[in-house]
Amino acid sequence: MSTITQITALLATSLALLASTTTASVTVQYTGRAPTGYEVTFKYTNATANKVQIAGGLLPFTDQFHTTPAFSTAYDPHEYRPGDFFVAGLNVNTTGNLGPQGNYTGFYMNNTGNGHWEWTSPFPSGTYSYAYIIDCGLGPRCATTEPGQVPGLTFYNDPQNLPFQNDHLQFNHSIFQVPYDKEFQYYPALNLDFDFSLPVPTAHQGKALAVNYSSPGSTYPAKDIHDLALYLPPNYDPNCTDPYPVLYLSHGGGGSAYDWPNLAKAFNIIDNLILEQWIPPTVVVCPAFYNLGCNDTGPFPELMICVRENYLSILLPFVEETYRASSDPEHRAFAGLSLGSELTYEMYINATSNFSSFGLFSGARGPASSDTNTAGYISNASVAANPELANRGVFVGFGNFDIAFTDCRALELALELAGVPFLSRIGLWKPTPYGIDAGRTGRVTY
Ligand SMILES: *[C@@H]1O[C@H](CO)[C@@H](O)[C@H](O)[C@H]1NC(C)=O
Ligand SMILES: *[C@@H]1O[C@H](CO)[C@@H](O)[C@H](O)[C@H]1NC(C)=O
Ligand SMILES: *[C@@H]1O[C@H](CO)[C@@H](O)[C@H](O)[C@H]1NC(C)=O
Ligand SMILES: *[C@@H]1O[C@H](CO)[C@@H](O)[C@H](O)[C@H]1NC(C)=O
Ligand SMILES: *[C@@H]1O[C@H](CO)[C@@H](O)[C@H](O)[C@H]1NC(C)=O
Ligand SMILES: *[C@@H]1O[C@H](CO)[C@@H](O)[C@H](O)[C@H]1NC(C)=O
Ligand SMILES: *[C@@H]1O[C@H](CO)[C@@H](O)[C@H](O)[C@H]1NC(C)=O
Ligand SMILES: *[C@@H]1O[C@H](CO)[C@@H](O)[C@H](O)[C@H]1NC(C)=O
Ligand SMILES: *[C@@H]1O[C@H](CO)[C@@H](O)[C@H](O)[C@H]1NC(C)=O
Ligand SMILES: *[C@@H]1O[C@H](CO)[C@@H](O)[C@H](O)[C@H]1NC(C)=O
Ligand SMILES: *[C@@H]1O[C@H](CO)[C@@H](O)[C@H](O)[C@H]1NC(C)=O
């Protein structure tokens, strides 16, 4: 599973199983058959294409015993066993990062004639992104999840299953979701039920909006205009007495405002959390930290410092003036993924009093030399200088096969040494693999 899926897996409880979900040209069908109980059929039309691959984040599977952040065994989904997951290769040019020969090229669609392409495969519970790659001659590099890494490679999204909002910048992926089936996907040591990201009944859905706002210095989507994705809870009342609590939720490196609602179905998760009464009706703002007028390629933490200043002086006032969103730090939270988690760390350290809670998902200060080297992280001296650091809600979440593993472990150790209470969630445990009694123990090692 991707880092985003792992993180969203931490956010909520499960919902009832759905029998079948259809999204235009992608059909998710309950089969009641191994290996997952569900099959996904893709249909695509392009009369001039000679070959069509499905990639853009749709990856083969791997297991806990043969995986590193940069290596996946690349099992075909037909070989799925409960406990398997997927990891994205970090560098598409690194031989061996997807499959033993590093030769995974995406899933080849069948040509069914007259320009029609089709492909059917089982998948387990989760949220998946995909894009079509046409006539790609780049070998394994056709299978990258990030088109920006491979100049000239075009990702075609599914015109009948468009993303909530195309981000124009990098990801051009469509999304589908597969429900959980405990008959085929149950794994004793890990909850693999991701149904909390499936849509709730329409009457209980909040509203998702793409919003442009005035932000002097911004260079995208227009001069002095910046963009964000907004979630307003069901029955949102702009005149209600108490303003809504607000969560600022940041994308990661190379990302955009629309990544959380697109790739992680974050607004479905928030719908579920509100419906199940885990959280009160909440406004969610997914801002975008690139193109604000800061130096996007500049060294850290200067970019994060610049973004912090921008958000506090421009973004928050805009949100609070325009929507019924709380301006009380007690009812504001900031969270983010990866580089967005580094931004969250910047907010925690340098905007401590502006938020009551901080969610750090896979990142803090960037690459760390070791799990135990806490130099530069929060310390007793930081807490002595800024006692509020010790009374915020701090959540640290990351995955076992996560490029930010060392960074997050160092952060957790630093928080412990500084006596700061925090909530920790690790997607898969290290160093002891989960459930050694099951899974792929019998397979060859690489
Ligand atoms: C169809 O495939 C061709 C390559 O053969 C590509 O140039 C074209 O953009 C594709 N058309 C659509 C609508 O995706
Ligand atoms: C991968 O290799 C190609 C061709 O050598 C190069 O142009 C590209 O920059 C490399 N990409 C990465 C991410 O290293
Ligand atoms: C990759 O290479 C291995 C070994 O040669 C082969 O079994 C496998 O089918 C290849 N995979 C693809 C996607 O070509
Ligand atoms: C491709 O077509 C063949 C022949 O009809 C079929 O057996 C196979 O299941 C198809 N593969 C996929 C992945 O849809
Ligand atoms: C995204 O996909 C659409 C539809 O397949 C295509 O027309 C468009 O050119 C793609 N956009 C980018 C930026 O690749
Ligand atoms: C935001 O501004 C851009 C550039 O002017 C425009 O293309 C886009 O449609 C606008 N989006 C919204 C939601 O208004
Ligand atoms: C909120 O109040 C304003 C003026 O007080 C009124 O114009 C508007 O219609 C109200 N909106 C709703 C949804 O009640
Ligand atoms: C942005 O930062 C990079 C790296 O430090 C530097 O080379 C570049 O000159 C900076 N750009 C601007 C516009 O300051
Ligand atoms: C952030 O906190 C500082 C210090 O308490 C305060 O001066 C500033 O107004 C706050 N900013 C916002 C947007 O709440
Ligand atoms: C916080 O602000 C200080 C002073 O500007 C700066 O040195 C530091 O890098 C900032 N960020 C963090 C995470 O400490
Ligand atoms: C930090 O402070 C705690 C008491 O709050 C103390 O137990 C601990 O030894 C201190 N750590 C260091 C490294 O000074």
Side-chain angles (χ1 to χ4, degrees), residues 301 305 308 345-346 349-350:
I305 291 172
R308 165 175 55 78
Y345 188 66
E346 169 66 28
I349 298 295
N350 283 331

Side-chain angles (χ1 to χ4, degrees), residues 4-344:
I4 287 180
T5 311
Q6 286 184 27
I7 295 303
T8 55
L10 303 171
L11 289 177
T13 186
S14 62
L15 284 181
L17 190 147
L18 295 186
S20 144
T21 315
T22 306
T23 47
S25 62
V26 172
T27 310
V28 179
Q29 186 63 47
Y30 175 71
T31 62
R33 281 195 310 267
T36 70
Y38 282 89
E39 252 175 24
V40 183
T41 296
F42 300 78
K43 290 185 180 175
Y44 190 65
T45 302
N46 184 317
T48 57
N50 295 307
K51 67 179 174 191
V52 181
Q53 283 141 282
I54 311 177
L58 199 63
L59 291 161
F61 289 85
T62 190
D63 70 273
Q64 59 178 316
F65 298 101
H66 309 110
T67 302
T68 70
F71 178 80
S72 155
T73 40
Y75 303 125
D76 185 273
H78 289 89
E79 295 179 65
Y80 169 84
R81 295 187 204 173
D84 286 357
F85 52 94
F86 61 85
V87 290
L90 293 181
N91 183 334
V92 292
N93 287 349
T94 307
T95 301
N97 68 355
L98 280 168
Q101 280 70 38
N103 59 351
Y104 170 73
T105 55
F107 299 109
Y108 285 93
M109 297 192 83
N110 272 344
N111 185 345
T112 57
N114 301 319
H116 297 302
W117 300 81
E118 209 170 305
W119 188 71
T120 299
S121 181
F123 279 94
S125 173
T127 300
Y128 300 85
S129 73
Y130 67 101
Y132 297 105
I133 313 287
I134 301 169
D135 296 340
C136 181
L138 294 167
R141 297 169 67 220
C142 303
T144 177
T145 52
E146 295 177 28
Q149 287 190 358
V150 181
L153 182 63
T154 303
F155 277 53
Y156 294 88
N157 64 30
D158 183 338
Q160 276 117 61
N161 181 26
L162 290 171
F164 151 64
Q165 176 84 5
N166 199 348
D167 64 26
H168 316 279
L169 297 172
Q170 191 181 33
F171 296 105
N172 197 25
H173 299 173
S174 296
I175 312 295
F176 69 92
Q177 294 166 266
V178 180
Y180 180 68
D181 184 336
K182 67 178 185 307
E183 189 183 351
F184 297 104
Q185 300 172 33
Y186 176 73
Y187 192 74
L190 205 59
N191 183 359
L192 300 172
D193 179 345
F194 300 101
D195 285 359
F196 52 74
S197 53
L198 290 169
V200 301
T202 319
H204 299 286
Q205 289 175 8
K207 198 183 277 180
L209 299 165
V211 172
N212 284 345
Y213 65 101
S214 165
S215 182
S218 170
T219 55
Y220 182 89
K223 188 176 176 308
D224 300 329
I225 302 287
H226 209 61
D227 58 348
L228 58 81
L230 178 76
Y231 171 89
L232 297 175
N235 306 316
Y236 169 76
D237 176 0
N239 297 332
C240 64
T241 317
D242 296 325
Y244 294 90
V246 54
L247 166 65
Y248 294 87
L249 181 61
S250 177
H251 65 83
S256 84
Y258 306 107
D259 289 352
W260 275 104
N262 276 337
L263 303 176
K265 292 284 177 191
F267 296 165
N268 285 1
I269 297 173
I270 301 291
D271 278 342
N272 277 309
L273 290 171
I274 293 171
L275 182 60
E276 302 258 307
Q277 299 187 346
W278 290 93
I279 58 171
T282 297
V283 169
V284 181
V285 175
C286 299
F289 66 67
Y290 291 120
N291 304 300
L292 281 169
C294 298
N295 185 347
D296 289 349
T297 58
F300 292 102
E302 280 81 346
L303 171 60
M304 296 314 171
I305 291 172
C306 177
V307 174
R308 165 175 55 78
E309 287 168 353
N310 178 289
Y311 282 7
L312 291 182
S313 63
I314 297 174
L315 173 72
L316 269 65
F318 165 75
V319 167
E320 290 159 10
E321 279 158 22
T322 316
Y323 306 100
R324 195 79 180 115
S326 186
S327 57
D328 176 358
E330 274 307 302
H331 299 111
R332 284 186 191 139
F334 200 98
L337 170 76
S338 194
L339 277 188
S341 189
E342 293 187 33
L343 175 60
T344 305

